[in-house]
Amino acid sequence: MTDQPQPPEGDVPVKPTSASRTTLSHIMTSHDTNLLGTVHGGVIMKLVDDAAGAVAGRHSGGPAVTASMDEMVFLEPVRVGDLVHVRAQVNWTGRSSMEVGVRVMAERWNESTPAQQVGSAYLVFAAVDEEGKPRRVPEVVPETERDKRRYQEAQIRRTHRLARRRAIKELRERRAAEGIDD
C-alpha cells in the first residue's frame, strides 16, 4: 500500500481534489422529521448521497453510481429550521471507483453562530458508461496536507472493505461446501 498517489499510467488524466469539491445546503422543514420531532436520518442520508453523487459525477466527467456507503455517523440531532450544509470531496480514486468523503454541518437558520458538525460518511462510487459498464476515472491528486491524510485513510478503508468482502465470500463458500444452506 502506498501513501501517495502513483504517477498516472499512460494517458490517464488527473484532477486535483478541489476540482470537484462541492457543498449542498438545505433548510430542514417539518416534512423532514421523524417520530421524535428531529430530522429523519434517511433525509440526511439522501442529502449525503446527492452531494457525493454530484462530486463523483463531476470528478469522473459523467455518470457514477453509488456502490457502497460506510461509516455513516450521526453526531448530533438535526432540527427543523436548521440550515444543513453537506460538504463532499473525492478522497481517493481507483481504476473506475472513487471514495467520496462527506461532512454534514448544521446551523440555525436565524442565528449567526458557527455551523457544527452533525455527521459524516464515506461512499464509494463507480463511474459507468452508457451501457452501465465501469469506465476509467481521472486520478485524484491531493493538494493540501488534509487532502493527503484523507487519501491515506481512504486507502486503509479500501483495504478493509476488500478484506471483509473476501472473508465473507470464503465463509459462504466453506458453508456451501459443508452443505449448509442458509
Side-chain angles (χ1 to χ4, degrees):
M1 178 167 69
T2 60
D3 288 346
Q4 299 299 321
Q6 298 303 302
E9 301 171 17
D11 60 351
V12 176
V14 298
K15 282 189 178 179
T17 306
S18 62
S20 56
R21 187 179 290 141
T22 193
T23 301
L24 173 68
S25 298
H26 188 77
I27 293 178
M28 297 293 107
T29 70
S30 59
H31 296 290
D32 302 315
T33 60
N34 59 26
L35 296 175
L36 298 176
T38 56
V39 173
H40 195 289
V43 170
I44 301 299
M45 290 174 73
K46 180 172 183 339
L47 293 173
V48 164
D49 192 44
D50 287 347
V55 166
R58 290 172 81 175
H59 182 83
S60 68
V65 296
T66 310
S68 69
M69 174 188 271
D70 58 29
E71 296 187 37
M72 179 73 211
V73 178
F74 297 99
L75 302 169
E76 297 288 335
V78 176
R79 303 170 294 162
V80 170
D82 281 353
L83 177 56
V84 173
H85 308 285
V86 183
R87 299 179 181 153
Q89 74 172 49
V90 173
N91 290 335
W92 177 90
T93 53
R95 182 172 177 75
S96 61
S97 64
M98 306 157 267
E99 183 195 89
V100 178
V102 180
R103 177 173 288 178
V104 183
M105 308 292 289
E107 62 183 304
R108 295 304 293 166
W109 69 273
N110 60 348
E111 296 175 9
S112 59
T113 55
Q116 72 173 44
Q117 185 174 354
V118 295
S120 65
Y122 299 100
L123 297 88
V124 176
F125 279 79
V128 295
D129 62 18
E130 316 73 47
E131 298 169 6
K133 304 287 187 215
R135 62 181 174 82
R136 187 95 189 188
V137 299
E139 179 183 337
V140 69
V141 178
E143 298 172 280
T144 67
E145 287 304 312
R146 178 179 283 181
D147 293 342
K148 290 174 187 173
R149 175 187 53 80
R150 288 178 177 163
Y151 184 93
Q152 292 168 336
E153 290 173 357
Q155 287 180 306
I156 293 167
R157 282 187 292 274
R158 180 175 188 273
T159 299
H160 286 238
R161 282 197 253 343
L162 294 174
R164 183 178 61 233
R165 185 181 306 152
R166 253 188 325 274
I168 291 170
K169 181 180 178 188
E170 290 169 5
L171 174 64
R172 289 180 178 173
E173 288 171 353
R174 277 196 312 275
R175 291 178 59 84
E178 295 169 1
I180 303 170
D181 182 25
D182 47 24

